Amino acid sequence: MSYPKIGIRPVIDGRWGGVRESLENQTMGMAYAAAELISKNLTYPDGTPVQCVIGCTTIGGGAEAAKVAEQFSTENVVATLSVTPCWCYGSETMDLDPLTIKAVWGFNGTERPGAVYLAAAMSAHAQRNLPVFSIYGHDVQDADDTSIPADVSEKLLRFARCAVAVGLMRDKAYVNLGGVAMGIAGSNCNADFFQKYLGIRAEWVDMTEIVRRITLEIYDHDEYEKALKWVKANCKEGFDCNAGKNLPEVITKSKVVPADKDWEFIVKQTLVCHDILYGNPKLAEMGWHEESLGRNAIAGGFQGQRQWTDWLPNGDFMEAINNSTFDWNGKKCPTVLATENDTCNGVAMLFEALLTNRAPVFADVRTYWSPEAVERVCGRRPEGVAANGFLHLINSGAAALDATGVSKDESGNGCMKQWFDVTDSDIEAMLGATDWCRANYEYFRGGGFSSHFKTHAEMPVTLVRFNLVDGLGPVLQLAEGWTALLPDDMHEKIDLRTDRTWPTTWFAPRLTGKGAFKDVYSVMANWGANHGAFVYGHIGADLITLASMLRIPVSLHNVEDDAVYRPHTWASYGTRDLESADYRACEQYGPLYR
């Protein structure tokens, strides 16, 4: 892949004859220290360290700024970090490229006024309509102190992590397999949004293409045999809700794939979907060159309901295994594939995956359970993180298996790992905690299998939703919280009130006592749609920073104000009401790719 890189710009006092010469080593030292920090702590989706490009010269004026810009233009630099320990000439040394994400780190020392340059640079960027992130240590350092303080390190890494996510999306595609599912507005793909805000091309592939490739056997036959053998050995079947039912003829005559052939069809469907998104050179060897190219995807969605599921096996296995951190070939990077082609939820999943290298989990935000309602149904109130009530996150069988929470960290706690840290024992545990229930024919006439599990661990997670609002534009919502473990009898009584063939996660958001987070009911009451996506870890601060880079305001979050990190000019839109300032700044600057 063509890796998006962070360009490090060592900015220096341009006065030759003693001043500049005395600062060369210190300035370049800051550049190398920042590059080392980033490359040691951040990775691309394939697990390789994030790459930095250090300017070929220190930058004391416009000529050297242009020289470094030319250097970066050949290196796929998507973000620039200007570093300096001293005073420099602000508007002469700044990065003027409107498409690079920008930050400036000014060394906090008293011998040389790096912080003074930082303030001057912030002013210059504001006047030039170029948002920039300010990085400045809390405590004064000695001039010979080459360490990076913890607060500076946090900002450097957050900036780089989010900027790389922006770069990874650029010039990729979101592939719609089908169109709008059941009138769900979120699955109406807005091509303008993807292009202008994310730099992503929207593409559409009719679902008949999947049928064509299965019918004409346009897939890797060896891979099919391997995958089918693995499925039969590892994907145990669970409860069949259709057993014993006298189903109407409109349902029985709609099942054109025999029940005992479902898995064969589903595995082919999964292979075909992957080939459509990414391509497959094996197809070219088989004489299908066009099909071998793929669609340059970074994410996609499958419509399924109802034009597909009314007569063909559903896409639940295809979606679940794509979003998981493993398949029949072992551990792998998750492929973002949205259920019901909810492109808005696909955006949320994409952000989560790019920021964490972990599996994003698609879910219905189904039900708010108050402590009183739980007590009425179960005879006692919930405890622990669920004591104030919780949300029932449940998907129609297509959730990533990582959400079982049975992978173990170094301390033996249940977790959801970065994909490259997943072990064979983790994979075995996730498969063991999941069964595959035959789809309810009343809803899915074509059959198929839904992943069925419950989340077995209390884990920190962040629930995210992306929305499009007419007259307002794109907005992001997020809620940090924890998955909750309910006693078995309480879990059963509540879970069985919905669909017993689907996966369940109980989610308790962290409450703040005010606004949308004054209680759990208010979180759901202010949620923007019937869907959301969650991922392991409290990543709200990263999501807020990423959204600001893309000029997407955040309408709901429970991240503390001190952790909110946006471009410096956002402060000019107000410092008391950060949410309002965010809206106005995003409106003023507009989408990243106009």
Side-chain angles (χ1 to χ4, degrees):
M1 64 183 295
S2 177
Y3 295 112
K5 302 181 181 74
I6 307 295
I8 313 289
R9 305 175 73 253
V11 183
I12 200 166
D13 191 321
R15 288 171 285 200
W16 288 90
V19 175
R20 175 164 180 162
E21 293 90 337
S22 68
L23 294 166
E24 286 282 347
N25 290 338
Q26 186 182 7
T27 304
M28 290 302 291
M30 285 182 68
Y32 279 101
E36 182 180 26
L37 174 76
I38 291 168
S39 295
K40 280 189 174 182
N41 288 278
L42 302 180
T43 65
Y44 296 112
D46 65 2
T48 61
V50 167
Q51 298 176 19
C52 297
V53 181
I54 296 176
C56 56
T57 176
T58 51
I59 301 170
E64 289 153 333
K67 186 175 182 179
V68 171
E70 182 180 3
Q71 173 196 2
F72 288 176
S73 69
T74 64
E75 294 278 359
N76 195 23
V77 167
V78 298
T80 60
L81 170 65
S82 299
V83 302
T84 188
C86 60
W87 167 254
C88 314
Y89 305 148
S91 59
E92 297 178 18
T93 58
M94 61 192 290
D95 170 20
L96 294 175
D97 185 342
L99 290 183
T100 55
I101 313 296
K102 299 170 180 58
V104 177
W105 172 24
F107 182 78
N108 185 5
T110 55
E111 290 82 359
R112 297 280 184 177
V116 177
Y117 167 73
L118 177 64
M122 294 302 104
S123 174
H125 282 82
Q127 291 184 44
R128 300 291 181 88
N129 200 40
L130 297 170
V132 61
F133 289 83
S134 172
I135 301 174
Y136 174 56
H138 185 273
D139 298 318
V140 172
Q141 293 178 258
D142 296 331
D144 59 354
D145 184 355
T146 59
S147 65
I148 302 179
D151 60 329
V152 172
S153 175
E154 181 180 3
K155 289 183 176 180
L156 287 172
L157 292 176
R158 178 158 295 141
F159 168 78
R161 182 184 300 112
C162 297
V164 166
V166 173
L168 287 166
M169 290 185 281
R170 189 177 296 173
D171 297 327
K172 291 292 186 178
Y174 181 96
V175 179
N176 299 270
L177 296 172
V180 178
M182 302 181 296
I184 295 173
S187 60
N188 188 357
C189 180
N190 187 309
D192 283 348
F193 162 75
F194 276 99
Q195 175 188 331
K196 294 178 180 179
Y197 283 86
L198 307 183
I200 287 176
R201 178 196 304 270
E203 296 217 0
W204 284 263
V205 177
D206 195 284
M207 291 185 294
T208 57
E209 174 64 4
I210 300 175
V211 180
R212 182 182 77 92
R213 294 196 188 197
I214 292 176
T215 303
L216 299 181
E217 298 188 338
I218 308 173
Y219 52 83
D220 185 332
H221 289 239
D222 292 337
E223 187 76 0
Y224 164 69
E225 295 295 339
K226 179 180 181 181
L228 182 62
K229 181 179 179 181
W230 179 87
V231 164
K232 290 183 175 180
N234 293 281
C235 298
K236 59 181 183 288
E237 294 186 20
F239 175 72
D240 183 357
C241 65
N242 307 293
K245 286 185 178 179
N246 185 20
L247 298 170
E249 183 184 7
V250 69
I251 292 177
T252 56
K253 72 180 183 182
S254 295
K255 178 121 181 65
V256 298
V257 176
D260 62 349
K261 298 293 184 182
D262 272 357
W263 278 120
E264 296 175 19
F265 186 93
I266 289 166
V267 170
K268 293 174 184 176
Q269 176 185 358
T270 303
L271 294 178
V272 166
C273 169
H274 193 274
D275 291 348
I276 291 173
L277 265 60
Y278 299 117
N280 186 345
K282 181 71 174 181
L283 304 185
E285 297 174 14
M286 298 166 58
W288 301 98
H289 178 77
E290 182 180 354
E291 290 81 354
S292 74
L293 299 176
R295 297 281 177 159
N296 193 38
I298 193 170
F302 177 64
Q303 174 194 329
Q305 300 184 63
R306 286 183 48 206
Q307 286 73 20
W308 180 277
T309 56
D310 272 3
W311 71 297
L312 294 171
N314 64 29
D316 288 0
F317 175 82
M318 174 181 70
E319 294 163 24
I321 208 68
N322 267 291
N323 287 314
S324 298
T325 55
F326 67 93
D327 62 13
W328 48 89
N329 289 313
K331 61 186 178 183
K332 66 170 182 66
C333 181
T335 290
V336 172
L337 191 62
T339 301
E340 294 161 353
N341 195 29
D342 185 343
T343 61
C344 287
N345 224 39
V347 170
M349 297 167 75
L350 178 58
F351 290 173
E352 292 173 338
L354 292 178
L355 290 173
T356 68
N357 291 321
R358 303 177 198 266
V361 184
F362 190 109
D364 284 2
V365 184
R366 179 60 67 99
T367 312
Y368 160 65
W369 279 92
S370 68
E372 293 78 15
V374 174
E375 185 175 26
R376 176 178 60 81
V377 171
C378 301
R380 66 186 192 278
R381 298 167 75 90
E383 299 177 350
V385 298
N388 294 313
F390 49 86
L391 303 181
H392 190 179
L393 305 182
I394 184 170
N395 187 7
S396 53
L401 273 59
D402 298 70
T404 55
V406 293
S407 297
K408 300 297 183 182
D409 63 18
E410 294 177 352
S411 301
N413 299 313
C415 66
M416 296 166 60
K417 293 182 177 179
Q418 296 185 93
W419 74 266
F420 38 77
D421 292 328
V422 169
T423 65
D424 289 343
S425 60
D426 293 327
I427 295 173
E428 184 179 353
M430 286 187 269
L431 289 168
T434 306
D435 55 22
W436 297 87
C437 299
R438 191 170 290 279
N440 186 335
Y441 290 161
E442 293 177 352
Y443 292 102
F444 302 99
R445 298 174 186 174
F449 290 93
S450 298
S451 62
H452 170 249
F453 58 79
K454 70 175 182 179
T455 299
H456 289 266
E458 181 180 303
M459 304 181 292
V461 296
T462 304
L463 180 67
V464 183
R465 174 66 189 183
F466 169 80
N467 297 296
L468 287 168
V469 181
D470 185 43
L472 176 63
V475 294
L476 194 70
Q477 297 180 314
L478 65 95
E480 294 183 341
W482 297 268
T483 58
L485 290 177
L486 303 184
D488 288 343
D489 61 331
M490 185 180 290
H491 170 89
E492 291 294 330
K493 286 183 179 179
I494 299 176
D495 194 44
L496 292 182
R497 293 170 70 100
T498 314
D499 192 312
R500 64 177 297 178
T501 68
W502 294 349
T504 278
T505 299
W506 311 111
F507 172 67
R510 186 178 65 245
L511 302 178
T512 64
K514 58 185 179 180
F517 289 91
K518 66 181 180 181
D519 52 37
V520 180
Y521 174 85
S522 297
V523 176
M524 183 161 182
N526 286 280
W527 205 248
N530 57 309
H531 291 155
F534 69 89
V535 72
Y536 183 86
H538 289 161
I539 65 164
D542 283 347
L543 286 161
I544 289 171
T545 296
L546 174 61
S548 70
M549 290 179 175
L550 300 169
R551 323 289 166 72
I552 299 172
V554 180
S555 63
L556 179 149
H557 73 83
N558 55 350
V559 177
E560 294 183 358
D561 285 353
D562 289 346
V564 173
Y565 185 44
R566 294 181 171 120
H568 186 267
T569 48
W570 264 235
S572 297
Y573 294 84
T575 57
R576 177 168 294 183
D577 185 346
L578 299 184
E579 188 174 289
S580 174
D582 184 32
Y583 272 89
R584 287 182 285 118
C586 288
E587 181 181 16
Q588 170 63 30
Y589 284 107
L592 188 58
Y593 311 99
R594 301 193 181 191

